[in-house]
Amino acid sequence: MSSIKLKDVTKRYGDGYEAVKHLDLDIEDGEFMILVGPSGCGKSTALRMVAGLEDISEGDLEIGGRRVNDKAPKDRDIAMVFQNYALYPHMTVRENMGFALKLAKVDEAEIKRKVDEAAKTLDLTEHLERKPANLSGGQRQRVAMGRAIVREPAAFLMDEPLSNLDAKLRVQMRTEVSRIQQSLGVTTIYVTHDQTEAMTLGDRVAVMRAGVLQQVDTPRELYEHP
Ligand code: ADP
Ligand code: ADP
C-alpha cells in the first residue's frame, strides 16, 4: 500500500540549476532503498521532494498509489529523521516520543501503548523516563527514530542520520537501523554519501551522480557489477 514512485521527476532551483534530472524510481511497499552518491549529486533534494519540503518542478510523485505532488508534508503520511535531530531537552524520552501524537490529540492511554511498543523495538524501555542530555549519542538517535515511528507512517525518510556519530557508534547503529527497519517493515528511503553504509544497510541501492540516476540494484549485484 505504501510504495513510493518517482516518475520522471526534475528539480530546478530558482537560479535555473537542475539538481535532479528525470528521476525514475520505484520503491516497493516495505522496501529499504538506499540513495547514495557524492556530495552535491542531488540526494537530499530528491528526498526533500518526497517529503514535500521542496516543490517538484516536473514529473509525478506517488505515495501509496496516490499522486501527492501538491500535498503538504503533514498530509503525506511520512516521517523524517535528519542528521541534526533535535530532541526537546526539557522533556523525557517518553514525552519526546509521544509529542507528535499528543499534538494530534491521540488519547493518553493510546500514546502510552504506542510509545511503549516503539521503545521495545528501539531498545529504549529502560530509558523512557530519562532526559536526552543523560543519554548516549546512539540512544538519542534511537529516540529521534522513535519520535518518527510512533506515528506509524507509511514511509520513513532518513537523511544521513548517522553522520554525526563517532565511527564506532556509527558501525553499531548501522546494524540497529537495519534491524529496526526490518521489524517495522516500513517503506524506507535512506540517503548517504557513505559507500559502506550503502552496501550494508538496505534491500536495494540507487546510485546518483550529478542529478542523474546511474543504477538501481541490490548490494550484491552492485558489488559484482559496479
Ligand atoms: P531561499 O532562496 O528559498 O531563501 P536559502 O537561500 O535560504 O533559500 O537556502 C535554503 C537552503 O538551501 C539552505 O540550507 C541553503 O544553505 C541551501 N542552498 C541555497 N542555495 C544553495 C546552493 N546554490 N547550493 C547549495 N545549497 C544551497
Ligand atoms: P546532496 O544531498 O547529494 O549533497 P543536494 O541535493 O543537497 O545534494 O544538492 C544538489 C545540488 O543542488 C547541489 O549542486 C546544490 O548546490 C544545489 N542546491 C541545493 N539547494 C539549492 C538551493 N536552495 N538553490 C540552488 N541550488 C541548490
Side-chain angles (χ1 to χ4, degrees):
M1 267 311 287
S2 41
S3 59
I4 300 174
K5 286 190 203 300
L6 293 108
K7 297 180 175 174
D8 201 8
V9 166
T10 292
K11 173 65 189 185
R12 199 172 298 108
Y13 278 112
D15 58 3
Y17 184 79
E18 289 190 353
V20 173
K21 300 176 188 183
H22 303 287
L23 176 59
D24 281 302
L25 190 60
D26 271 16
I27 302 150
E28 291 164 26
D29 187 21
E31 189 174 25
F32 192 164
M33 178 69 80
I34 306 290
L35 198 48
V36 68
S39 175
C41 74
K43 314 179 289 295
S44 298
T45 298
L47 195 74
R48 290 167 59 82
M49 286 191 285
V50 175
L53 302 173
E54 293 283 358
D55 288 337
I56 293 171
S57 309
E58 282 168 26
D60 287 315
L61 170 68
E62 289 178 6
I63 301 179
R66 283 189 318 151
R67 185 177 183 276
V68 297
N69 288 50
D70 304 319
K71 291 223 180 294
K74 66 175 174 50
D75 298 324
R76 293 189 183 199
D77 202 12
I78 46 115
M80 281 199 88
V81 178
F82 298 96
Q83 62 179 271
N84 298 313
Y85 54 88
L87 300 175
Y88 304 113
H90 58 290
M91 294 184 194
T92 63
V93 168
R94 177 182 292 287
E95 288 162 349
N96 265 282
M97 285 173 59
F99 192 62
L101 298 176
K102 192 171 172 180
L103 285 186
K105 306 242 189 303
V106 175
D107 75 59
E108 291 288 334
E110 182 71 358
I111 295 177
K112 182 173 185 316
R113 192 185 64 74
K114 289 189 169 176
V115 170
D116 284 341
E117 191 184 311
K120 214 179 282 174
T121 306
L122 294 160
D123 213 4
L124 286 170
T125 305
E126 318 273 276
H127 306 292
L128 279 171
E129 310 313 327
R130 303 177 73 191
K131 297 273 175 71
N134 304 323
L135 301 177
S136 71
Q139 289 165 344
R140 265 181 249 163
Q141 184 61 57
R142 293 206 297 273
V143 177
M145 291 179 70
R147 241 179 10 181
I149 68 180
V150 289
R151 291 162 44 211
E152 297 169 19
F156 201 19
L157 310 179
M158 292 189 267
D159 194 349
E160 309 256 7
L162 307 185
S163 60
N164 277 349
L165 304 178
D166 69 46
K168 192 170 156 214
L169 191 55
R170 195 155 61 226
V171 173
Q172 285 173 15
M173 280 301 292
R174 270 182 211 152
T175 317
E176 284 291 290
V177 169
S178 292
R179 182 184 65 77
I180 292 162
Q181 196 277 342
Q182 265 180 14
S183 67
L184 293 171
V186 61
T187 312
T188 301
I189 308 179
Y190 185 107
V191 162
T192 182
H193 68 275
D194 183 320
Q195 302 205 13
T196 312
E197 231 170 81
M199 295 300 269
T200 51
L201 272 174
D203 298 320
R204 282 195 299 160
V205 183
V207 184
M208 276 184 82
R209 208 169 299 272
V212 178
L213 182 64
Q214 304 286 316
Q215 193 176 1
V216 189
D217 259 324
T218 62
R220 173 183 286 267
E221 285 164 340
L222 267 180
Y223 182 74
E224 289 170 359
H225 308 283

